[in-house]
Amino acid sequence: MIILGLSGALTHDPSAALYVDGKLVAAAEEERFIRDKHAKNKMPREAARFCIEQAGISPKDINVVAVPFAPIGLDSPARWHYARRYWYAPDRVIDAIFNGNRRYKRYAGDIKALCESLGINWDRTEFEPVEHHLAHASSCYHLSGFKGKTAILGVDGKGEYATTFFGYGEEGEIHKLREFYDPDSLGGMYGAITEYLGFEMLDGEYKVMGMAPYGDPTKHDLSRIIRCDGSDIRVNTQLINTVGLRRYKEDGRGFYFSKKLIDWLGPRRVGDVADEPYIDYAASIQKLYEDTVLQLIDTHLKKILQETGQLAFSGGGALNVKLNQRIIALPYVKELWVQPASGDSGTAIGAASYAAVKRKEQVETMEHVYLGPSYTNEECVKACEEHPYKPQYEIIDQVPSRIATILADGNPVAWFQGRMEFGPRALGGRSILGCPSAKGVANRINEQIKFRERWRPFCPSILDRVAPEILQTDHPSAFMTFTFDVADSWKERVPEVVHEDGTARAQVVSAEHNPRYHELLLEMEKLTGNGVVLNTSLNRRGEPMVCSPKDALNMFFGSDLQYLIMEDVLVTKSQESHGE
Ligand SMILES: [Fe+2]
């Protein structure tokens, strides 16, 4: 059975994923192809086209099209909750009660038009709208490989109306225990404060989390923002998650918080400086988020967790690696599996996996994220030949040892190998690498290409053999979805990848899923004594991750990087021709 999952209903992060007989053969985000971060208000056209081509099928072979967005009936408490809580915005109230999520109808029409234009035989294809949070739930539970009863948690801004999901999975079936609805949203709360702290939602949340360890969470009590009685939450819409006329506006742009928040906390942060009181607000909101989620897990999921200790977690809120570290530390949690694409791009996979399981397909465990396009040496050479900058290149052998030597000399290297990653993290397919013991390499990467805020940490990829010693745990960590405390003895050995608070967001690399990257780590170990590299995504600030050799070359020549390795093709810059 062939199932195509398409996301993008919520106007950002459209993506496509394709299952063939329970195997996830391809998945990609639209932004990578059209070179537009988050591809807002776009449909996943190029991503779907890629998936179909990669699978080597005809669009007419597709049996099911699944989307992570469904109509919500009036019998659900969702619409009533929304109407009651947004009483001060009567147009929204009327819409919620009389129309429901109108967006669904328009969206279903857009999907049909997209599918027809791709050559999918719509009349002979089943259409499966999956509730947004069920898609998130499936993307973590069904792909986790967990056997036995598994607690499921979903936290995001909002789907149709639901913002938070508690449930469990048993024998492939997902059971819903409890949901919270808009405006009572933890993801929304974090997003609103992210905006207040001067960042964009969708990307800025990581920056707030990165800023938090520099601040003091005890200086400001932000608990007025959200009330949690242990089992339920109530966001203070006087302050945040505000709609309509109550929203705070600057230059015609509305924010998800109110003027009252500004009166209380002071003006919105602007610029790149991380200073008081903003770093303290970042610390407070991070703590409030962590404490609230942990309290809710304790209330709604503890009993299930006491049976098997398995927790599957997805939704944008699951990308909060600091929260995840604390979840793993709970006495009744044995293993946490976080969908690596926990943002909405991952719901293309979740909708498809949900539809597959519903049709009695066995869905395989997700063991890696290398689901995008790959390119041959010939294609990389061709891109060099066609590039206006006429790059200097050579085809080399023993790529891992050659690159390890360049890295160990303190140079950053752009590393383009194999299939592109799905999800927000570069995991050794489209990465910029550095030697984590080379003093100042993080600064060099920032100067040459990333221009990231100074407080944002760089992360390590670690050889599987040495990971337990560095991270002091055996907990699996293939996808950079958790932080761990770095052993004291290693903090000095790899200082460039240890965050202010002594943690690292680590990827543990096995030979099985990325043999060349694993080999590179072995070579680094030979040269430096540490089987670790600094790994950050291959892109410039504000751009999506590189997809093709042409993108890689464009990025390379738009930066001061000196080395780019694409498959076996090493591109270098002569000293005179740095960047632009
Ligand atoms: Fe979501």
Side-chain angles (χ1 to χ4, degrees):
M1 184 177 289
I2 303 181
I3 303 174
L4 177 67
L6 298 171
S7 86
L10 294 159
T11 71
H12 59 83
D13 297 305
S15 66
L18 194 79
Y19 271 96
V20 178
D21 298 331
K23 288 203 171 351
L24 182 56
V25 297
E29 284 102 337
E30 185 72 5
E31 62 165 27
R32 311 280 167 88
F33 300 98
I34 63 169
R35 312 303 306 149
D36 175 13
K37 193 135 198 215
H38 299 300
K40 288 184 183 161
N41 300 309
K42 300 281 175 14
M43 296 296 281
R45 179 178 304 277
E46 299 307 319
R49 202 173 274 160
F50 154 72
C51 288
I52 291 166
E53 208 180 290
Q54 176 75 29
I57 57 159
S58 154
K60 293 193 171 48
D61 298 336
I62 292 170
N63 306 104
V64 184
V65 170
V67 297
F69 202 68
I72 303 296
L74 259 188
D75 52 341
S76 154
R79 286 162 66 178
W80 297 101
H81 180 92
Y82 181 95
R84 204 167 48 243
R85 296 280 283 116
Y86 280 132
W87 60 269
Y88 60 82
D91 54 325
R92 306 283 185 121
V93 173
I94 290 166
D95 218 29
I97 293 173
F98 292 100
N99 296 316
N101 47 345
R102 266 198 301 191
R103 184 184 287 167
Y104 173 75
K105 270 196 187 140
R106 199 174 58 225
Y107 175 66
D110 290 346
I111 287 286
K112 177 172 184 265
L114 171 67
C115 288
E116 284 176 342
S117 76
L118 289 167
I120 294 168
N121 192 339
W122 186 257
D123 295 331
R124 288 180 42 206
T125 306
E126 283 180 73
F127 180 52
E128 177 87 40
V130 180
E131 273 181 38
H132 188 77
H133 269 276
L134 283 177
H136 274 309
S138 176
S139 80
C140 57
Y141 166 56
H142 288 134
L143 277 70
S144 64
F146 284 152
K147 307 273 177 276
K149 208 168 179 180
T150 299
I152 305 173
L153 176 63
V155 177
D156 71 357
K158 74 163 186 168
E160 297 88 357
Y161 292 95
T163 65
T164 320
F165 176 98
F166 302 92
Y168 67 95
E170 199 170 22
E171 290 171 10
E173 204 166 321
I174 296 173
H175 303 264
K176 208 186 271 187
L177 290 171
R178 185 71 194 271
E179 277 181 334
F180 301 154
Y181 306 109
D182 195 21
D184 296 312
S185 168
L186 287 153
M189 169 188 86
Y190 209 99
I193 299 299
T194 294
E195 282 194 330
Y196 169 75
L197 290 173
F199 305 112
E200 296 278 332
M201 270 193 198
L202 299 178
D203 288 316
E205 286 85 347
Y206 299 121
K207 300 181 185 178
V208 174
M209 190 174 63
M211 204 194 251
Y214 293 88
D216 177 353
T218 62
K219 271 198 187 160
H220 303 276
D221 179 9
L222 298 189
S223 59
R224 264 168 68 192
I225 286 178
I226 192 166
R227 209 181 64 214
C228 177
D229 64 5
S231 76
D232 210 344
I233 56 167
R234 197 176 167 92
V235 161
N236 186 344
T237 58
Q238 302 252 11
L239 297 168
I240 58 156
N241 297 4
T242 311
V243 297
L245 295 172
R246 287 190 178 185
R247 262 187 194 168
Y248 176 69
K249 284 206 170 75
E250 259 176 39
D251 304 325
R253 179 186 164 197
F255 294 95
Y256 282 89
F257 53 85
S258 69
K259 171 84 172 40
K260 282 193 176 165
L261 188 83
I262 300 269
D263 295 342
W264 174 32
L265 299 179
R268 195 172 73 92
R269 192 187 77 96
V270 286
D272 254 1
V273 183
D275 237 332
E276 291 174 359
Y278 302 104
I279 48 171
D280 299 324
Y281 294 155
S284 292
I285 201 70
Q286 175 66 26
K287 183 164 188 312
L288 187 59
Y289 176 66
E290 289 174 14
D291 291 349
T292 309
V293 176
L294 290 174
Q295 201 180 352
L296 293 165
I297 289 175
D298 203 70
T299 306
H300 297 293
L301 299 176
K302 185 174 169 181
K303 252 182 139 170
I304 295 157
L305 284 165
Q306 280 169 333
E307 289 182 44
T308 60
Q310 296 171 161
L311 176 61
F313 185 15
S314 185
L319 294 172
N320 195 301
V321 292
K322 299 279 173 195
L323 165 67
N324 296 346
Q325 181 173 8
R326 286 186 66 189
I327 293 177
I328 291 171
L330 288 171
Y332 45 79
V333 171
K334 278 207 199 96
E335 190 173 336
L336 172 64
W337 197 88
V338 170
Q339 163 56 241
S342 267
D344 281 349
S345 67
T347 55
I349 294 180
S353 58
Y354 186 89
V357 173
K358 192 174 157 186
R359 287 162 181 78
K360 310 284 177 226
E361 299 266 295
Q362 283 282 348
V363 172
E364 66 175 353
T365 303
M366 188 175 189
E367 286 177 342
H368 64 82
V369 295
Y370 309 114
L371 297 163
S374 64
Y375 299 86
T376 61
N377 275 334
E378 291 69 36
E379 287 169 306
C380 296
V381 166
K382 188 164 175 273
C384 289
E385 293 291 342
E386 287 172 356
H387 198 272
Y389 279 73
K390 296 289 165 232
Q392 185 178 302
Y393 69 88
E394 57 173 319
I395 295 178
I396 60 170
D397 50 16
Q398 293 170 331
V399 168
S401 69
R402 284 281 299 274
I403 298 302
T405 309
I406 298 170
L407 288 168
D409 281 344
N411 303 290
V413 174
W415 171 266
F416 178 110
Q417 301 289 328
R419 294 182 70 177
M420 180 179 70
E421 298 88 341
F422 186 73
R425 300 277 85 90
L427 297 171
R430 303 288 183 275
S431 292
I432 296 169
L433 307 179
C435 172
S437 56
K439 205 168 177 327
V441 80
N443 283 339
R444 218 160 305 141
I445 290 173
N446 260 335
E447 282 160 20
Q448 291 187 0
I449 180 162
K450 280 284 188 172
F451 314 112
R452 297 188 354 161
E453 297 83 352
R454 64 177 165 78
W455 66 84
R456 292 187 63 196
F458 283 107
C459 305
S461 296
I462 304 178
L463 200 58
D464 48 3
R465 175 169 38 77
V466 289
E469 184 191 324
I470 300 175
L471 305 172
Q472 315 179 83
T473 174
D474 285 327
H475 194 284
S477 181
F479 305 120
M480 283 195 182
T481 41
F482 318 121
T483 49
F484 295 105
D485 293 326
V486 176
D488 284 337
S489 58
W490 277 86
K491 284 179 186 158
E492 283 149 37
R493 287 173 71 171
V494 290
E496 302 285 312
V497 291
V498 182
H499 198 19
E500 179 72 9
D501 56 6
T503 66
R505 187 186 77 202
Q507 173 197 7
V508 178
V509 181
S510 67
E512 197 186 345
H513 300 299
N514 195 336
R516 183 170 268 195
Y517 198 38
H518 189 262
E519 215 182 309
L520 175 76
L521 288 164
L522 288 171
E523 294 294 333
M524 286 301 282
E525 192 181 43
K526 274 191 219 159
L527 290 175
T528 68
N530 307 321
V532 185
V533 290
L534 176 159
N535 171 10
T536 183
S537 57
L538 186 56
N539 62 308
R540 288 183 292 189
R541 190 172 173 174
E543 289 179 359
M545 216 192 285
V546 155
C547 178
S548 70
K550 186 180 164 202
D551 304 333
L553 288 165
N554 287 343
M555 181 231 61
F556 185 62
F557 286 104
S559 76
D560 284 334
L561 284 169
Q562 298 296 305
Y563 301 93
L564 161 66
I565 180 78
M566 298 191 287
E567 299 303 330
D568 301 337
V569 182
L570 178 65
V571 187
T572 49
K573 278 183 196 149
S574 59
Q575 287 306 310
E576 306 87 66
S577 66
H578 298 182
E580 284 170 348

